[in-house]
């Protein structure tokens, strides 16, 4: 039985590749406190919903994510849809999320631990983007 877990990511329906990590896939709703007229009890109601800035990390580097970030850098902000699938070692989907209204805020290449000292490390690509909405796939 395969237990390895990876993420397969699509941007606008085009496969962007496999990722080792997905960070900050979060949503939270503000709690607003209101008081109605002479009612002495403060009621709590849902307010605005906020989504975390999602970061994808992987051990290989491609130009596709750089190009998306570079468009934003030049002022061409095109919000895109991103599909994230958590898969097992046989690429069977375990869970999935559809993100909409996304645009990148950060792009980074970092060396894995020990790369500088040994010269045998691996570069890791990271991209962080704003999310407008999240739905379960």
């Amino acid at each position: 039985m395969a237990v390895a877990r990876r993420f397969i990511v699509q941007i606008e329906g085009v496969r962007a590749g496999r990722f080792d990590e997905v960070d900050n896939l979060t949503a939270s709703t503000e709690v607003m406190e209101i008081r109605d007229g002479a009612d002495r009890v403060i009621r709590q109601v849902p307010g605005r919903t906020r989504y975390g800035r999602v970061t994808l990390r992987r051990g290989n580097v491609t130009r596709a994510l750089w190009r998306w970030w570079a468009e934003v850098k030049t002022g061409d902000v095109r919000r895109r849809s991103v599909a994230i699938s958590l898969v097992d070692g046989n690429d069977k989907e375990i869970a999935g999320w559809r993100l909409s209204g996304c645009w990148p805020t950060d792009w980074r290449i970092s060396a894995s631990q020990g790369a500088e000292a040994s010269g045998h490390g691996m570069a890791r690509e990271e991209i962080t983007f704003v999310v407008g909405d999240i739905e379960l796939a």
Side-chain angles (χ1 to χ4, degrees):
M1 176 182 214
V3 293
R5 296 204 177 10
R6 299 273 189 240
F7 298 91
I8 295 177
V9 175
Q10 292 184 3
I11 300 173
E12 290 294 313
V14 177
R15 188 168 169 157
R18 292 178 179 276
F19 289 81
D20 304 317
E21 298 176 44
V22 174
D23 263 350
N24 209 28
L25 184 57
T26 62
S28 63
T29 301
E30 292 177 341
V31 176
M32 297 177 58
E33 294 183 346
I34 60 169
R35 194 173 122 194
D36 190 16
D39 190 351
R40 296 183 55 98
V41 176
I42 294 176
R43 309 283 178 202
Q44 295 182 345
V45 297
R48 297 175 295 183
T49 298
R50 177 182 311 241
Y51 300 99
R53 291 184 184 171
V54 174
T55 299
L56 306 174
R57 290 185 188 90
R58 67 177 170 189
N60 63 327
V61 178
T62 65
R63 292 181 182 258
L65 296 178
W66 165 262
R67 284 193 297 265
W68 187 21
W69 179 80
E71 289 171 4
V72 172
K73 178 181 76 161
T74 62
D76 185 13
V77 180
R78 294 185 197 165
R79 295 177 182 266
R80 298 186 177 160
S81 63
V82 175
I84 300 174
S85 297
L86 173 63
V87 297
D88 65 16
N90 296 319
D91 281 354
K92 181 180 176 189
E93 186 175 75
I94 298 168
W97 301 269
R98 290 187 303 269
L99 289 57
S100 60
C102 303
W103 58 273
T105 61
D106 298 281
W107 177 86
R108 169 188 290 187
I109 296 292
S110 60
S112 63
Q113 197 170 22
E116 296 84 4
S118 69
H120 299 293
M122 183 168 79
R124 293 182 53 80
E125 183 176 35
E126 296 182 17
I127 190 163
T128 300
F129 51 88
V130 169
V131 175
D133 194 19
I134 299 174
E135 295 179 6
L136 289 177

